[in-house]
Amino acid sequence: MLRSVPGPVQSIERAAAILRLLARGSGRLGVSEIAGSLGLARGTAHGILRTLHGVGFVEQDGETGKYRLGAALLHLGTSYLDVNELRSRAINWADALAARSGEAVRIGTPLDGKVLVVHHVFRPDDTLQTLDVGALLPAHATALGKVLLAYDAGAAAALTGQLEPFTRRTKTVPRDLAKALAEVRDMGWAAEMEEMTVGEAGVAAPIRGQGGLVVGAMGVSGAVERICGPGGRPNPTLVTYVRDAARAVSRDLGASRW
Amino acid sequence: MVERYVMSVDQGTTSTRCILFDHAGRLVSVTQREHKQHFPKPGWVEHDAMEIWRNLERIAPEAVAQAGATPDQVAALGIANQRETTVLWDRHTGRPIGHAVVWQDTRTDRLVDELAAHPRADMVLERCGLPLATYFSAPRVRWMLDNRPGLRERAERGDVLFGTMESWLIWNLTGGPEGGLHITDVTNASRTLLMNLTTLDWDDELLTFFGVPRAMLPRIRPSTETYGTARQVLPGVRIAAALGDQQAALFGQTCFAPGEAKCTYGTGAFLLLNTGNEPVRSTHGLLTTVGYQIGDEPAVYALEGSIAITGALVQWFRDGLGIISSAPEIETLARTVDDNGGCYIVPAFSGLFTPYWRSEARGVIVGLTSYITKGHLARAVLEATGWQTREVVDAMNADSGLALKALKVDGGMTADNLLMQLIADVLNVPVIRPMAAETVSLGAAYAAGLAVGYWPDLEGLRRNWHRAAQWLPAMDPARRAVEFGNWHRAVERTFDWIKPDG
């Protein structure tokens, strides 16, 4: 296989120069000023500015049309998406998933190596259930957690040594988990079979934000005989429901390709 | 077999939304578009009715396409709409006369004071079940007719038409100037101050009292009935229901039996209690209104507690103050502190509705000290919705003689867990969210589907209702009492702010 180390990408270098320029002085510049300062064609500068605007790295003043640094740049180091906003954007699709699958739905985001439950929809059978929004779940023993780990190399690498066992089937060896996470990336969804609680299973899929970044996971969980088909694998229809719902939320969040 | 769907159009205060539902009442596709809020003067709130119609023209076909369907798979279309917002338009050109005047608009406060001083003013509450307030449509129609030369004559000739948003949309959908249907439904008509609650028809004495010519009014139809067929946007689709948004939510929550109630949290919040086939008169500031009317059946009435500003306060926090960049962040910010720090916000932006009905009240923030941070303010924003709900529930309990055992909630703000917990805490009853938070849309879809036989009966709809979440009260009773007392003192400080002479 032919491999080559690519050289610098010109448009990214130019984008970085524009951001540096905006970070200086008054911080408010028009397209012509920016193009002039950097020796770019006006059309080129405009194209780059529109792209930076699209990802929130620059903002445009409604009246003067001038550009300045965008709020998204300030939040680069902190949380990518407010969890309450994620819930608000996902709530309709989570309801529809619960209604369609007949199972409880949860949405999780990563927090300190665990899964923070940010949204929970009851199983639609009107039995007594307790809301567990705010609860922390172990990442290696839940479908939600496996999705979050699969798309976050740093978090997955941080899991070393013997992982906490919950049942006989919990994956406690990091190497086994890594293999499972690779499968998750291949399939685009994760399953958990009695790895957290005996008799229970779950299926989850990634929720992606702008640019395809995974911002959360959405999944169903319930009795293993309902989640799985006769072969002991998750019911394919259920998997489709979960993936469709996660994709619908991703679309709402601006992830165009998924 | 080709799958068939029902479309709901929710023409709301800030946006218009189209949703396709399937047989199980599950959401299949959603499209939405916001429209501009015009605030030309303090207290004035306007919408461009043409912009709203264009938005519908665009998003309705998009919703069908998103579901991978074609218009012939849409069994029926139902409309739920922001209530009381008043549109006048030219029958011949189809152009609106100026902007629509929105339900939050208080420009008619002096006119309402003048009307209230009239010896016959008591007749209003008696006949239509509503207090004389700026909130309802009739004073707005009168104001528009008084403030544009020649308009009254055109209205008397029937050249200028009046409608609330559903009338405007149905008229346009069914052909506009070329034979569009000029109709309204009984729930929307019940919010004008012009309809007699017993006869369910326009009341001549009320028309005279407000100076509104009959020729400009739409025909009043039941909430569910095939009114006609769309000629625009989705040609051939049957238009089979219209309800005010809050009545639609009552329907969507399947509150079909007397005693069943729901509260919808949107721009404002509205608690409706089904009272069966008899209108119940309130002595605690609740409104008597029509809940729904199915075809030729007798109308079902409701008691309503209205809160003008709930989600709108969060929007003001976002757009007016710029403290947060999206509405759900209010919860994130509020969770940075443990309590309100002694700060209370009473959002009497357009006066106070239930149970006070004080048009002259205006908003206050009290208890400010240098200790207060934006986190405390965010908490006070959410608590304002909690306490206002408590006041409405207290009024409802007093009028009905029954104590509410649990509150069924819906609407966008039910995504806010901190708020839902707060409401359970201040009411001291469980708060329950059904599996479809979009009950306004669902109710319009249910009503339309029922009219065309897509769903057979109310029992079938009831079986679609499931509990999605529940919050249990967990507040110390002593603290609840102290906080409620503080809230009351804050409310008193909003009174008498606008002076009668302007």
Side-chain angles (χ1 to χ4, degrees):
Chain A
M1 197 165 100
L2 186 71
R3 281 195 170 209
S4 66
V5 180
V9 178
Q10 192 186 38
S11 57
I12 295 180
E13 285 185 328
R14 286 172 171 172
I18 289 177
L19 292 176
R20 289 208 173 94
L21 192 64
L22 287 172
R24 277 190 212 156
S26 75
R28 280 157 207 271
L29 297 171
V31 183
S32 308
E33 292 168 289
I34 292 169
S37 302
L38 298 175
L40 296 175
R42 198 185 135 88
T44 307
H46 188 250
I48 294 171
L49 281 163
R50 292 322 301 164
T51 307
L52 289 171
H53 186 267
V55 300
F57 282 8
V58 304
E59 287 168 4
Q60 192 175 15
D61 189 288
E63 279 171 25
T64 63
K66 292 197 173 196
Y67 290 90
R68 58 174 179 269
L69 292 182
L73 266 187
L74 305 173
H75 298 140
L76 257 185
T78 57
S79 85
Y80 176 74
L81 179 71
D82 183 284
V83 297
N84 294 311
E85 172 142 25
L86 174 60
R87 181 191 314 113
S88 189
R89 304 279 282 271
I91 192 166
N92 283 332
W93 300 111
D95 278 355
L97 175 58
R100 229 165 240 136
S101 66
E103 300 297 341
V105 171
R106 283 180 183 76
I107 292 175
T109 56
L111 184 74
D112 301 334
K114 297 202 154 137
V115 180
L116 173 69
V117 177
V118 300
H119 185 49
H120 174 195
V121 184
F122 291 167
R123 190 173 57 249
D125 59 7
D126 299 324
T127 57
L128 188 66
Q129 296 163 67
T130 310
L131 209 57
D132 64 5
V133 173
L136 284 171
L137 305 175
H140 67 283
T142 56
L144 294 173
K146 287 187 197 175
V147 167
L148 297 176
L149 289 174
Y151 297 97
D152 184 346
L159 295 177
T160 52
Q162 154 100 12
L163 304 172
E164 189 183 347
F166 296 95
T167 70
R168 208 167 41 82
R169 301 186 66 173
T170 310
K171 288 192 171 50
T172 54
V173 181
R175 196 163 11 96
D176 297 345
L177 182 66
K179 222 176 109 194
L181 297 182
E183 278 172 33
V184 171
R185 283 188 293 271
D186 282 346
M187 299 189 301
W189 56 277
E192 169 259 309
M193 312 296 236
E194 302 190 86
E195 292 158 53
M196 172 78 192
T197 310
V198 174
E200 296 206 356
V203 173
I207 296 175
R208 294 174 187 273
Q210 250 185 17
L213 198 63
V214 173
V215 294
M218 180 175 193
V220 297
S221 56
V224 65
E225 63 273 15
R226 291 198 310 263
I227 301 290
C228 295
R233 294 283 300 153
N235 177 342
T237 313
L238 194 63
V239 172
T240 305
Y241 289 157
V242 170
R243 298 186 72 188
D244 285 351
R247 262 193 221 110
V249 178
S250 303
R251 258 201 317 275
D252 272 4
L253 292 174
S256 48
R257 274 171 52 219
W258 287 272
Chain B
M1 200 184 85
V2 179
E3 183 76 46
R4 286 168 61 80
Y5 307 102
V6 174
M7 176 178 283
S8 76
V9 174
D10 174 8
Q11 201 303 294
T13 308
T14 56
S15 72
T16 305
R17 191 153 27 168
C18 288
I19 299 186
L20 280 191
F21 290 98
D22 68 11
H23 243 284
R26 296 178 302 214
L27 179 146
V28 177
S29 65
V30 191
T31 52
Q32 179 169 6
R33 213 169 158 78
E34 293 199 1
H35 53 265
K36 193 165 162 36
Q37 308 289 316
H38 301 267
F39 305 107
K41 292 184 188 182
W44 290 34
V45 189
E46 300 179 348
H47 292 161
D48 176 355
M50 202 45 112
E51 180 189 2
I52 288 173
W53 164 245
R54 299 246 154 82
N55 286 350
L56 179 66
E57 278 186 312
R58 182 169 160 161
I59 63 172
E62 277 175 10
V64 176
Q66 200 187 86
T70 52
D72 56 309
Q73 282 170 266
V74 181
L77 181 153
I79 299 175
N81 58 288
Q82 54 167 323
R83 306 173 302 173
E84 301 100 9
T85 295
T86 306
V87 196
L88 301 189
W89 70 94
D90 185 309
R91 177 199 291 275
H92 309 291
T93 64
R95 301 292 309 173
I97 313 284
H99 280 163
V101 182
V102 178
W103 58 277
Q104 297 146 318
D105 188 292
T106 55
R107 76 183 62 183
T108 57
D109 47 5
R110 281 162 80 180
L111 173 62
V112 165
D113 285 344
E114 281 166 38
L115 289 166
H118 192 278
R120 297 279 287 140
D122 287 348
M123 163 187 77
V124 175
L125 179 65
E126 197 183 293
R127 297 200 179 198
C128 67
L130 308 173
L132 239 180
T134 58
Y135 176 27
F136 307 105
S137 313
R140 281 189 197 115
V141 180
R142 165 72 172 272
W143 186 94
M144 290 160 102
L145 294 177
D146 285 353
N147 282 272
R148 198 177 275 253
L151 198 58
R152 175 171 296 279
E153 291 68 33
R154 289 163 69 198
E156 278 165 357
R157 286 197 306 266
D159 291 337
V160 165
L161 304 179
F162 154 76
T164 34
M165 278 297 169
E166 84 297 352
S167 300
W168 165 247
L169 294 181
I170 293 172
W171 187 79
N172 278 292
L173 280 167
T174 54
E178 279 93 49
L181 289 173
H182 188 218
I183 57 171
T184 182
D185 98 294
V186 66
T187 67
N188 276 296
S190 82
R191 314 292 295 188
T192 55
L193 294 172
L194 299 173
M195 190 188 83
N196 186 306
L197 211 49
T198 319
T199 65
L200 303 180
D201 196 0
W202 304 120
D203 184 303
D204 281 320
E205 286 193 60
L206 288 171
L207 295 181
T208 310
F209 179 81
F210 287 104
V212 173
R214 192 181 257 271
M216 71 189 305
L217 300 179
R219 263 190 319 131
I220 303 177
R221 309 295 314 153
S223 320
T224 81
E225 179 187 83
T226 304
Y227 306 128
T229 303
R231 291 168 62 191
Q232 303 290 327
V233 186
L234 296 174
V237 172
R238 288 175 287 182
I239 302 167
L243 298 121
D245 51 12
Q246 298 310 319
Q247 281 87 343
L250 187 74
F251 212 83
Q253 283 266 26
T254 66
C255 294
F256 300 134
E260 293 186 321
K262 67 87 209 178
C263 190
T264 303
Y265 291 93
T267 306
F270 300 87
L271 204 161
L272 269 73
L273 171 76
N274 182 326
T275 62
N277 297 125
E278 293 299 322
V280 172
R281 304 289 172 170
S282 171
T283 52
H284 296 86
L286 300 172
L287 311 177
T288 309
T289 197
V290 180
Y292 54 87
Q293 186 188 15
I294 299 174
D296 302 331
E297 293 175 23
V300 168
Y301 293 87
L303 270 177
E304 171 177 322
S306 325
I307 307 168
I309 304 282
T310 53
L313 183 59
V314 178
Q315 281 161 17
W316 175 72
F317 219 62
R318 182 193 64 190
D319 304 333
L321 300 184
I323 294 176
I324 48 177
S325 59
S326 75
E329 278 176 37
I330 193 82
E331 181 175 355
T332 313
L333 188 55
R335 282 188 191 276
T336 60
V337 294
D338 293 329
D339 57 34
N340 60 24
C343 174
Y344 299 82
I345 303 179
V346 186
F349 292 180
S350 2
L352 286 169
F353 289 7
T354 309
Y356 305 100
W357 296 104
R358 305 278 297 235
S359 298
E360 88 301 341
R362 284 300 178 271
V364 296
I365 302 179
V366 295
L368 290 180
T369 60
S370 30
Y371 172 74
I372 298 299
T373 65
K374 58 187 179 180
H376 296 114
L377 289 173
R379 206 163 253 271
V381 162
L382 295 179
E383 288 181 359
T385 293
W387 292 120
Q388 291 186 101
T389 307
R390 167 70 187 267
E391 291 178 322
V392 166
V393 167
D394 284 355
M396 202 72 81
N397 288 345
D399 267 334
S400 67
L402 299 165
L404 187 80
K405 289 195 193 67
L407 184 67
K408 285 184 181 179
V409 297
D410 54 77
M413 283 181 105
T414 58
D416 190 318
N417 278 268
L418 181 60
L419 175 64
M420 292 302 107
Q421 183 59 53
L422 249 164
I423 293 170
D425 284 344
V426 304
L427 297 182
N428 201 26
V429 299
V431 167
I432 300 166
R433 180 176 85 78
M435 199 139 283
E438 302 293 341
T439 48
V440 170
S441 296
L442 187 61
Y446 277 172
L450 205 59
V452 299
Y454 183 81
W455 283 294
D457 54 24
L458 297 181
E459 266 320 300
L461 299 179
R462 255 184 211 286
R463 282 193 293 276
N464 287 342
W465 191 97
H466 296 293
R467 189 192 336 242
Q470 172 163 287
W471 293 266
L472 301 174
M475 192 187 242
D476 169 49
R479 181 159 159 245
R480 182 186 303 127
V482 169
E483 289 290 322
F484 197 22
N486 289 345
W487 167 259
H488 271 304
R489 291 193 299 136
V491 168
E492 282 164 15
R493 279 155 180 80
T494 69
F495 295 163
D496 299 316
W497 184 254
I498 299 294
K499 293 187 188 154
D501 54 8

